[in-house]
Amino acid sequence: MAVRAVAEVAAPSAGTVNVSRNPNFAKLRAGYLFPEIARRRKAHQDANPTAKIISLGIGDTTEPLPLFIANAMAKAAAGLATPEGYSGYGAEQGQGKLREALANTFYPGMRAADEIFVSDGSKCDIARLQMMFGALPTVAVQDPSYPVYVDSSVMMGMTGDHDGTGFANVEYMACRPENNFFPDLSKVKRTDIMFFCSPNNPTGAAATRAQLTELVALARKNRSILVYDAAYALYISNPDCPKSIYEIPGAEEVAIETCSFSKYAGFTGVRLGWTVVPKALKFQDGHPVHTDWNRMMTTCFNGASNIVQAGGLACLQPDGLQEMNQTIAFYKENAAILRQAFLDMGFSVYGGEDAPYVWVGFPGKASWAVFEEILEKCNIVTTPGSGFGPAGEGFVRASAFGSRANIHEAVDRFKAAFGSQN
């Protein structure tokens, strides 16, 4: 009698479930940019335990919270311990007084308070916007740009695989020195969603009124949605560069704007932002985007902390605005110091005037190789330009978020290591 061999099937390891992984996550390359930088920084510190590392990498604020704003949050927190001061769940869209203050301060005569949705920050809102849009829309991004735009598109299933340069089905709008960091819109293919940040992270370039008028005109022509990231708008000094997309006529019919207190008031850890969705903006079937965004926020978000919203309201009072502008001025001076130092060394330098980022060119060199060289020679963390997109190759970003002492020490280290490039 013949005996048939029965193949043995290996038992799954403990903890392995019969649930397939989201295949879109498999498309993502390595880790998210900034955790990867943190990993390499840790490896360098472990290998050089006595080294004093200065971080000009991730755009994390370093200066203490402005006192007027911090006191407002402390008072709100203390009030929660009293019967008359206690509050529980609030409106998911944000407290009415804060929405009114945001409208009056940043969008006077342009946007109504009920078009402003208070949140825990722009990054979270970008993810929620992508969830609202779903997997079907096509997407365009500035190149280089904040990695969240592309990575969240990949996670949602909007893109194809990575081809070694970029992701398939993403329209990369190249922004390089030769086009003054504004894309040639005549060459941009039509997409459903366009992500645009001004001042741009990482290049520091702020778009002019004429450029944004052209951008809005393209969105209107293509009947696309423009997601406009204004997280650094208050760093703009150039009067020809708008601080809101809604300064451009017609933008309310195509544009969603997201912003944050993170880089204005040092709220990177406190977490408070907002997104503006005009009621005039409608999907293809005529359904208001505002209605779906309200449903998204009320379903997936319980509202920003009431303590933090008290801080946001304080930011928009005269004393708070003054303190906030002083904080911004401090970081802008840091940026000017870094920019001038790189110029003095003979580098090609961009940004650092209307933004807290300095974009430095290293022609012919790979960005990650430059990152490693700077880390090895200077014990300084920067951000490799290629991490922001294909057009960022050959550049590194230096962040102006740091103490004044660290900025001056970083300049001394750069000059000792790289000297004159002339």
Side-chain angles (χ1 to χ4, degrees):
M1 179 177 177
V3 178
R4 288 189 302 174
V6 178
E8 292 187 7
V9 178
S13 60
T16 300
V17 296
N18 194 25
V19 178
S20 298
R21 181 190 183 200
N22 182 339
N24 297 309
F25 277 70
K27 301 174 187 175
L28 294 168
R29 305 192 79 202
Y32 180 57
L33 174 61
F34 297 109
E36 175 62 18
I37 289 173
R39 185 190 69 78
R40 297 193 185 205
R41 171 182 174 156
K42 182 179 184 302
H44 179 77
Q45 187 75 80
D46 290 345
N48 302 274
T50 62
K52 177 192 173 185
I53 296 177
I54 294 176
S55 179
L56 303 180
I58 187 170
D60 192 5
T61 51
T62 58
E63 298 307 291
L65 290 176
L67 189 58
F68 180 80
I69 298 166
N71 284 342
M73 287 189 283
K75 181 178 179 181
L80 291 174
T82 66
E84 61 275 11
Y86 178 77
S87 61
Y89 291 128
E92 293 93 341
Q93 303 90 340
Q95 295 174 358
K97 287 184 179 180
L98 178 54
R99 299 172 85 189
E100 289 283 354
L102 287 165
N104 293 336
T105 302
F106 297 121
Y107 310 101
M110 293 184 285
R111 300 270 56 85
D114 63 356
E115 295 178 310
I116 299 171
F117 293 77
V118 178
S119 72
D120 51 348
S122 292
K123 183 177 182 179
C124 302
D125 276 352
I126 289 166
R128 286 187 281 258
L129 284 169
Q130 295 281 45
M131 191 184 303
M132 179 182 73
F133 294 145
L136 296 180
T138 52
V139 64
V141 299
Q142 277 170 298
D143 179 23
S145 65
Y146 186 38
V148 171
Y149 312 145
V150 170
D151 284 7
S152 59
S153 298
V154 175
M155 291 175 176
M156 284 300 301
M158 297 176 174
T159 77
D161 292 325
H162 199 279
D163 61 10
T165 302
F167 285 95
N169 303 331
V170 173
E171 180 69 5
Y172 289 92
M173 302 184 291
C175 299
R176 296 183 61 85
E178 49 266 33
N179 62 10
N180 293 316
F181 296 101
F182 188 80
D184 182 348
L185 297 182
S186 68
K187 297 179 180 179
V188 173
K189 295 178 183 177
R190 192 258 170 207
T191 62
D192 299 314
I193 311 296
M194 302 170 65
F195 285 97
F196 197 91
C197 178
S198 180
N200 175 263
N201 174 16
T203 67
T208 65
R209 190 171 303 277
Q211 289 172 333
L212 291 182
T213 298
E214 184 183 354
L215 183 66
V216 168
L218 179 67
R220 289 170 61 88
K221 173 187 173 184
N222 290 341
R223 297 176 67 192
S224 303
I225 291 179
L226 173 63
V227 178
Y228 188 82
D229 188 343
Y232 304 95
L234 291 189
Y235 285 80
I236 294 175
S237 300
N238 185 343
D240 190 39
C241 296
K243 292 184 171 66
S244 170
I245 194 63
Y246 301 116
E247 295 182 38
I248 308 301
E252 70 279 359
E253 296 180 359
V254 292
I256 294 170
E257 181 169 301
T258 186
C259 199
S260 167
F261 284 106
S262 288
K263 309 303 166 58
Y264 295 171
F267 274 28
T268 51
V270 175
R271 308 307 306 154
L272 190 66
W274 66 93
T275 290
V276 186
V277 183
K279 293 181 179 178
L281 176 61
K282 299 178 179 66
F283 287 114
Q284 186 179 46
D285 64 356
H287 188 81
V289 177
H290 183 277
T291 301
D292 280 5
W293 183 243
N294 185 69
R295 178 59 187 271
M296 173 61 67
M297 295 298 281
T298 55
T299 301
C300 298
F301 187 57
N302 260 343
S305 159
N306 42 23
I307 298 170
V308 172
Q309 289 190 73
L313 190 59
C315 288
L316 305 178
Q317 296 175 23
D319 287 349
L321 279 170
Q322 182 180 7
E323 289 184 340
M324 198 162 63
N325 286 326
Q326 288 171 350
T327 298
I328 292 168
F330 175 85
Y331 292 127
K332 281 176 67 71
E333 188 172 348
N334 280 355
I337 292 168
L338 288 170
R339 174 183 169 84
Q340 190 59 53
F342 283 113
L343 286 172
D344 290 345
M345 288 186 283
F347 286 97
S348 295
V349 185
Y350 310 92
E353 295 177 312
D354 294 305
Y357 300 121
V358 178
W359 191 238
V360 187
F362 288 79
K365 293 186 177 182
S367 296
W368 276 108
V370 176
F371 167 88
E372 293 287 357
E373 182 182 3
I374 292 173
L375 186 57
E376 288 292 333
K377 290 182 176 180
C378 306
N379 291 314
I380 293 174
V381 174
T382 55
T383 307
S386 60
F388 297 99
E393 188 62 271
F395 293 86
V396 296
R397 189 194 75 176
S399 166
F401 295 114
S403 69
R404 187 59 48 79
N406 276 356
I407 294 296
H408 283 304
E409 184 172 345
V411 166
D412 290 341
R413 294 185 193 180
F414 278 128
K415 288 184 175 179
F418 292 95
S420 175
Q421 300 298 302
N422 293 322

